[in-house]
PDB file of all heavy atoms in Angstrom:
ATOM      1  N   ALA A 852      13.880   6.172  12.227  1.00  0.00           N
ATOM      2  CA  ALA A 852      14.026   6.476  13.646  1.00  0.00           C
ATOM      3  C   ALA A 852      13.459   7.853  13.974  1.00  0.00           C
ATOM      4  O   ALA A 852      13.678   8.824  13.238  1.00  0.00           O
ATOM      5  CB  ALA A 852      15.503   6.417  14.033  1.00  0.00           C
ATOM      6  N   ASN A 892      15.085   6.125  19.125  1.00  0.00           N
ATOM      7  CA  ASN A 892      16.283   6.782  18.614  1.00  0.00           C
ATOM      8  C   ASN A 892      15.938   8.089  17.897  1.00  0.00           C
ATOM      9  O   ASN A 892      16.297   8.298  16.736  1.00  0.00           O
ATOM     10  CB  ASN A 892      17.049   5.850  17.678  1.00  0.00           C
ATOM     11  CG  ASN A 892      18.469   6.298  17.436  1.00  0.00           C
ATOM     12  OD1 ASN A 892      18.984   7.165  18.130  1.00  0.00           O
ATOM     13  ND2 ASN A 892      19.100   5.716  16.434  1.00  0.00           N
ATOM     14  N   PRO A 893      15.268   9.030  18.570  1.00  0.00           N
ATOM     15  CA  PRO A 893      14.887  10.284  17.887  1.00  0.00           C
ATOM     16  C   PRO A 893      16.068  11.200  17.604  1.00  0.00           C
ATOM     17  O   PRO A 893      15.966  12.087  16.752  1.00  0.00           O
ATOM     18  CB  PRO A 893      13.911  10.931  18.877  1.00  0.00           C
ATOM     19  CG  PRO A 893      14.304  10.391  20.209  1.00  0.00           C
ATOM     20  CD  PRO A 893      14.783   8.988  19.963  1.00  0.00           C
ATOM     21  N   GLN A 894      17.202  11.014  18.273  1.00  0.00           N
ATOM     22  CA  GLN A 894      18.362  11.871  18.054  1.00  0.00           C
ATOM     23  C   GLN A 894      19.197  11.430  16.856  1.00  0.00           C
ATOM     24  O   GLN A 894      20.277  11.984  16.605  1.00  0.00           O
ATOM     25  CB  GLN A 894      19.248  11.906  19.302  1.00  0.00           C
ATOM     26  CG  GLN A 894      19.925  10.588  19.638  1.00  0.00           C
ATOM     27  CD  GLN A 894      19.043   9.660  20.455  1.00  0.00           C
ATOM     28  OE1 GLN A 894      17.859   9.956  20.665  1.00  0.00           O
ATOM     29  NE2 GLN A 894      19.609   8.564  20.930  1.00  0.00           N
ATOM     30  N   HIS A 895      18.737  10.460  16.114  1.00  0.00           N
ATOM     31  CA  HIS A 895      19.514   9.954  14.977  1.00  0.00           C
ATOM     32  C   HIS A 895      19.691  11.034  13.910  1.00  0.00           C
ATOM     33  O   HIS A 895      20.795  11.203  13.374  1.00  0.00           O
ATOM     34  CB  HIS A 895      18.819   8.731  14.376  1.00  0.00           C
ATOM     35  CG  HIS A 895      19.415   8.275  13.083  1.00  0.00           C
ATOM     36  ND1 HIS A 895      20.590   7.563  13.015  1.00  0.00           N
ATOM     37  CD2 HIS A 895      19.009   8.432  11.793  1.00  0.00           C
ATOM     38  CE1 HIS A 895      20.885   7.302  11.756  1.00  0.00           C
ATOM     39  NE2 HIS A 895      19.940   7.816  10.985  1.00  0.00           N
ATOM     40  N   ALA A 896      18.630  11.766  13.593  1.00  0.00           N
ATOM     41  CA  ALA A 896      18.701  12.756  12.517  1.00  0.00           C
ATOM     42  C   ALA A 896      19.547  13.964  12.892  1.00  0.00           C
ATOM     43  O   ALA A 896      20.137  14.604  12.023  1.00  0.00           O
ATOM     44  CB  ALA A 896      17.294  13.203  12.115  1.00  0.00           C
ATOM     45  N   SER A 897      19.637  14.291  14.172  1.00  0.00           N
ATOM     46  CA  SER A 897      20.373  15.486  14.606  1.00  0.00           C
ATOM     47  C   SER A 897      21.786  15.172  15.073  1.00  0.00           C
ATOM     48  O   SER A 897      22.511  16.092  15.479  1.00  0.00           O
ATOM     49  CB  SER A 897      19.615  16.180  15.747  1.00  0.00           C
ATOM     50  OG  SER A 897      19.449  15.298  16.850  1.00  0.00           O
ATOM     51  N   THR A 898      22.206  13.918  15.038  1.00  0.00           N
ATOM     52  CA  THR A 898      23.553  13.561  15.480  1.00  0.00           C
ATOM     53  C   THR A 898      24.545  13.793  14.344  1.00  0.00           C
ATOM     54  O   THR A 898      24.415  13.184  13.280  1.00  0.00           O
ATOM     55  CB  THR A 898      23.609  12.095  15.925  1.00  0.00           C
ATOM     56  OG1 THR A 898      22.672  11.889  16.971  1.00  0.00           O
ATOM     57  CG2 THR A 898      25.006  11.724  16.409  1.00  0.00           C
ATOM     58  N   PRO A 899      25.546  14.662  14.515  1.00  0.00           N
ATOM     59  CA  PRO A 899      26.501  14.909  13.430  1.00  0.00           C
ATOM     60  C   PRO A 899      27.500  13.764  13.299  1.00  0.00           C
ATOM     61  O   PRO A 899      27.796  13.048  14.263  1.00  0.00           O
ATOM     62  CB  PRO A 899      27.189  16.208  13.847  1.00  0.00           C
ATOM     63  CG  PRO A 899      27.109  16.200  15.340  1.00  0.00           C
ATOM     64  CD  PRO A 899      25.832  15.507  15.709  1.00  0.00           C
TER      65      PRO A 899
END
Side-chain angles (χ1 to χ4, degrees):
N892 197 13
Q894 67 275 7
H895 171 77
S897 59
T898 302

